[in-house]
Amino acid sequence: MGKPCLVGSCNIMHSIMLLFGLLMVILKTTGAEVGVCYGMMGGNLPPKQEVIELFKQKNIQRMRLYAPDADALQALRGTNIKLLLDVPKDKLEYVAASEGNAAQWVQDNIRQYNDVNFQYIAVGNEVMPSDSAAQFLLPAMQNIRKAIDEAGLGDQIKVSTATFMRAIDGSSPPSGGFIRSEYQPILGPVIKFLRDNQAPLLVNIYPYFAHSGDPSQVPLDYALFTAPSTVVTDGSLHYQNLFDAMLDAVYSAVEKAGGESLDIVVSESGWPSDGGDATSVENAKTYNTKLVQHVNQGQGTPKRSEKPIEAYLFAMFDENHKEPEYEKHWGLFLPDKQEKYPISFN
């Protein structure tokens, strides 16, 4: 039987516990969190309203949409799901052409949905130097940012772009990461823009491709968060999983480009369940569930241990219109909304 306590001291203890619980909720909401990318390149996917309901049922509090979709945005109204919305690559020239075009895009796709919880706008996804859109990336970001500011949403919505590991070299050890020379003309000005506007860089990070591209040098357990001990030592930092090493390589590369103060959001990560080397339902389950657990611990990476990780799993559903074959099998759910394997976001 527990010892009795004075009413006043019990009330104080109760208040402290409530305050602690509230603090934990605030930290979880504003820090470490995993979202899911909602891709739509499938011919057999559920109606948008049912997809949003599935996000709510699974307590998935963040979503990435790769283009504005009226039905999805309508279904998101009032849900408080935090949204990362892309300006598709084929729209960069349009929004870069004039401030008026960017203002119209923001009016049509942001301001019209004033009860949707927009958090980030990704202006372009994986823009490469050879893309015709590359020349429009920075002016498109500048125009969208100005339109967001003029709409009075500059404190709520951060404007960025999503890049990928192809832009980074020298990533082992992570401290050696740097931006590849051909990407510097693109990302150098972008990093300055993000620094000046206190916005994060979005990066798609896939340990799957690192392993499948060089399995003899990148062990499967290191890529799947299952290595039993340190695999890579980088000075005083120790890496037991490849995800952290890749993320810290990006931090190192961005620092070398003048972005010491930038945060990084992992805008895609995942593992396919079929169609390629090292693909299986078990491997997909292991990677995705352990990534969620890793993020939810709130401990950050070895290099940025004070910074909770924010990441988006790719993807919500298998998408049968994609090629090659392994691109069809990234979904957490089948098109009939059944889980491919159990996964919890709590």
Side-chain angles (χ1 to χ4, degrees):
M1 182 180 291
K3 294 181 179 179
C5 66
L6 296 176
V7 172
S9 62
C10 284
N11 286 341
I12 291 171
M13 182 61 68
H14 182 65
S15 298
I16 290 172
M17 293 302 293
L18 284 176
L19 183 61
F20 180 77
L22 178 61
L23 179 61
M24 290 299 99
V25 170
I26 291 172
L27 288 173
K28 177 67 173 71
T29 302
T30 59
E33 211 161 62
V34 178
V36 178
C37 302
Y38 176 16
M40 300 182 184
M41 294 182 65
N44 52 356
L45 300 182
K48 313 295 171 55
Q49 180 66 51
E50 293 182 13
V51 175
I52 305 311
E53 287 299 319
L54 187 58
F55 268 77
K56 291 161 61 178
Q57 291 168 17
K58 293 298 293 182
N59 196 32
I60 305 170
Q61 298 179 17
R62 296 179 187 264
M63 174 189 294
R64 181 178 182 183
L65 280 179
Y66 290 95
D69 181 276
D71 290 340
L73 290 171
Q74 186 67 29
L76 282 164
R77 286 182 180 274
T79 64
N80 209 37
I81 293 172
K82 303 178 186 74
L83 184 63
L84 190 175
L85 178 65
D86 282 35
V87 179
K89 196 183 297 186
D90 62 5
K91 296 296 184 184
L92 296 194
E93 182 175 5
Y94 170 77
V95 297
S98 73
E99 293 176 359
N101 286 356
Q104 189 64 54
W105 190 94
V106 169
Q107 174 62 38
D108 293 344
N109 302 302
I110 305 293
R111 299 183 72 177
Q112 183 175 331
Y113 302 95
N114 59 4
D115 51 353
V116 171
N117 189 9
F118 295 98
Q119 186 172 32
Y120 304 121
I121 298 177
V123 181
N125 181 54
E126 299 185 351
V127 176
M128 297 185 291
S130 58
D131 290 337
S132 60
Q135 63 186 306
F136 305 117
L137 177 58
L138 183 62
M141 294 176 70
Q142 292 168 332
N143 286 351
I144 290 289
R145 170 67 189 184
K146 184 170 184 181
I148 290 292
D149 284 345
E150 290 180 349
L153 298 170
D155 291 336
Q156 172 191 336
I157 303 173
K158 299 299 183 182
V159 176
S160 186
T161 188
T163 189
F164 58 163
M165 292 303 295
R166 189 179 297 183
I168 308 299
D169 210 343
S171 57
S172 186
S175 61
F178 63 90
I179 296 173
R180 294 167 62 116
S181 59
E182 63 267 34
Y183 281 86
Q184 288 174 5
I186 300 176
L187 291 181
V190 164
I191 287 169
K192 182 180 186 303
F193 170 90
L194 297 175
R195 185 188 65 209
D196 292 346
N197 290 285
Q198 297 181 314
L201 178 64
L202 311 177
V203 184
N204 302 336
I205 292 179
Y206 285 98
Y208 169 74
F209 290 121
H211 166 74
S212 63
D214 194 1
S216 65
Q217 296 299 314
V218 182
L220 181 61
D221 61 355
Y222 185 45
L224 285 175
F225 291 94
T226 57
S229 58
T230 296
V231 176
V232 171
T233 299
D234 188 2
S236 62
L237 303 179
H238 302 278
Y239 292 87
Q240 199 168 336
N241 71 79
L242 181 55
F243 175 88
D244 279 352
M246 294 174 76
L247 181 50
D248 277 352
V250 179
Y251 273 118
S252 296
V254 168
E255 288 173 2
K256 293 180 177 78
E260 297 88 349
S261 63
L262 287 192
D263 289 334
I264 292 170
V265 170
V266 179
S267 43
E268 289 181 12
S269 193
W271 199 284
S273 60
D274 199 359
D277 295 336
T279 60
S280 68
V281 171
E282 188 61 33
N283 283 351
K285 174 185 176 182
T286 297
Y287 180 83
N288 288 325
T289 55
K290 287 188 175 295
L291 176 56
V292 172
Q293 293 166 3
H294 182 58
V295 170
N296 284 347
Q297 288 174 357
Q299 296 176 348
T301 65
K303 181 178 178 65
R304 293 285 184 99
S305 58
E306 79 290 349
K307 169 62 180 163
I309 298 167
E310 182 182 334
Y312 292 76
L313 286 180
F314 185 86
M316 192 67 172
F317 297 103
D318 285 350
E319 297 172 76
N320 63 359
H321 286 174
K322 301 185 78 171
E323 294 290 347
E325 183 64 24
Y326 67 82
E327 289 284 4
K328 303 177 190 290
H329 302 286
W330 296 80
L332 303 176
F333 293 85
L334 300 171
D336 63 2
K337 300 186 294 184
Q338 296 301 305
E339 285 182 324
K340 196 179 291 183
Y341 43 81
I343 185 167
S344 172
F345 289 83
N346 297 323

